[in-house]
Amino acid sequence: FEIGCFPGGYLDFWGNLGYELNGIDLVDKINPDLYNWLKFRGHQVGELINGDFINYKVNRQFDVVYSFGFLEHFINWDQILIKHSELVRPGGRLVIGVPNFRGLVQRSLHFLFDRENYYKHYLPTMDTGKWRRLLEERGFDVIFSGCIGNFDFWSAARPTKMFSCLIFPSINFFKKHIKFNNYLFSPYLCLLAVKRK
């Protein structure tokens, strides 16, 4: 079950592993466009809901529940994460991924060159230690929580001339030479947890 499932690339990935695909998104195109595309790809499709996850009534549980780029848009992220957890069946997995705008390097780059997008994210959400504690209290074993990815930078904004001429070459230089995860500059945060039986 994917929360924020459009345009469906992650659903396609899980479908290739043999899972029945379910999800929810506010985007109108999930039915019939996404549904038909997933069926065309040969996947078993369950329910794709055009609706608001906040108002979604949890009435079944799933083997895998995940969201990427969803949780960080909410001030009440803890309630949203609890709702994610309620969808996971005992023995099932929960996967959460968000961009890392809190690390000093990532925060600075997004603030300077991607400011509109920066302000669409709630930075206090980007704390995998808080996620871990909340989920462990709710009966999960956390397999991994932390930053992922070597240094990189992506932006929703159109690059400015200064960015293209000065910053972009520097980013490429650091991408080639920084080959390890670090909270200061890794572009993403992730958690994988298993619900105890």
Side-chain angles (χ1 to χ4, degrees):
F1 189 94
E2 181 177 3
I3 296 126
C5 63
F6 190 82
Y10 295 113
L11 287 173
D12 186 45
F13 169 83
W14 290 104
N16 288 331
L17 296 177
Y19 285 91
E20 177 192 272
L21 306 177
N22 298 273
I24 186 167
D25 204 303
L26 285 170
V27 176
D28 293 336
K29 292 183 178 181
I30 68 169
N31 282 310
D33 296 5
L34 180 56
Y35 181 90
N36 290 339
W37 178 72
L38 292 169
K39 291 296 275 185
F40 174 77
R41 298 273 298 151
H43 301 314
Q44 180 183 353
V45 183
E47 187 177 18
L48 297 179
I49 303 158
N50 178 219
D52 185 348
F53 181 65
I54 307 298
N55 300 318
Y56 175 69
K57 303 293 183 207
V58 176
N59 56 18
R60 79 179 265 213
Q61 293 181 315
F62 301 86
D63 292 318
V64 179
V65 175
Y66 63 96
S67 70
F68 299 113
F70 185 83
L71 190 65
E72 76 277 10
H73 294 287
F74 296 92
I75 293 173
N76 61 334
W77 64 268
D78 51 344
Q79 294 170 31
I80 304 299
L81 185 55
I82 288 169
K83 194 160 190 178
H84 279 61
S85 74
E86 292 170 348
L87 286 163
V88 183
R89 71 170 40 124
R93 287 168 170 70
L94 175 63
V95 185
I96 304 290
V98 303
N100 174 21
F101 285 12
R102 283 191 74 182
L104 179 63
V105 174
Q106 289 293 335
R107 179 189 296 203
S108 301
L109 287 170
H110 283 282
F111 184 78
L112 292 171
F113 303 109
D114 189 29
R115 192 165 300 182
E116 184 179 347
N117 190 39
Y118 176 89
Y119 283 120
K120 290 179 181 176
H121 294 75
Y122 184 63
L123 272 62
T125 300
M126 300 172 186
D127 185 335
T128 58
K130 290 179 183 176
W131 306 352
R132 173 188 283 272
R133 289 188 291 277
L134 185 148
L135 290 169
E136 286 175 342
E137 290 170 2
R138 299 190 61 79
F140 282 79
D141 292 318
V142 175
I143 308 302
F144 174 83
S145 68
C147 58
I148 57 172
N150 303 331
F151 175 78
D152 199 357
F153 176 70
W154 57 271
S155 171
R158 285 187 73 184
T160 63
K161 195 174 231 181
M162 184 177 94
F163 180 85
S164 299
C165 295
L166 299 176
I167 306 302
F168 188 71
S170 301
I171 287 171
N172 282 337
F173 173 82
F174 287 117
K175 279 170 72 171
K176 288 178 185 173
H177 294 90
I178 299 177
K179 298 291 187 183
F180 55 91
N181 296 347
N182 185 290
Y183 187 71
L184 293 174
F185 54 72
S186 289
Y188 301 105
L189 301 171
C190 187
L191 174 138
L192 168 62
V194 178
K195 194 172 202 175
R196 296 182 206 115
K197 292 184 178 179

